[in-house]
Amino acid sequence: KYREEIAQTMSLTKNQLKSDIFGELRYIRVCVIHNNGIATSELEKKVKIVRFKKGELVFIRPNNIREIIGTIKEYLYSLYDAD
């Protein structure tokens, strides 16, 4: 949902926004919402921006939020630099 909103704001299509960060956020969301906040093996293997081991509580700290937002900003700025 948010990737589509970001894309529209930038006059792009959702499919033009391709960054690992969006996939990583999806894995985090799935664990929080559908796995009672417990990390899965998929989350452990595929998410690099915030590290969790299978079975750990998925707890996002303020510094994690800053890093996630910074990564998204870097990616979006890179789209403008590519022009």
Side-chain angles (χ1 to χ4, degrees):
K1 174 185 173 187
Y2 295 107
R3 187 169 57 124
E4 189 168 344
E5 290 177 12
I6 292 168
Q8 286 176 351
T9 301
M10 299 179 71
S11 300
L12 300 169
T13 66
K14 177 175 132 178
N15 292 333
Q16 288 176 294
L17 288 182
K18 294 184 182 196
S19 172
D20 291 343
I21 187 65
F22 295 114
E24 291 187 26
L25 290 173
R26 182 176 61 83
Y27 283 112
I28 293 169
R29 182 188 64 79
V30 166
C31 284
V32 169
I33 294 171
H34 300 292
N35 204 42
N36 298 317
I38 305 299
T40 62
S41 58
E42 272 193 326
L43 183 75
E44 181 178 10
K45 290 176 196 169
K46 298 189 178 190
V47 174
K48 307 279 188 277
I49 193 154
V50 182
R51 303 303 299 185
F52 296 102
K53 294 202 182 293
K54 181 181 177 185
E56 284 184 337
L57 181 65
V58 176
F59 183 78
I60 308 293
R61 292 171 173 75
N63 63 314
N64 300 132
I65 296 294
R66 284 188 291 277
E67 187 173 352
I68 290 167
I69 291 171
T71 302
I72 292 170
K73 282 182 175 181
E74 278 181 34
Y75 170 67
L76 296 176
Y77 291 143
S78 76
L79 294 176
Y80 284 114
D81 291 341
D83 290 340

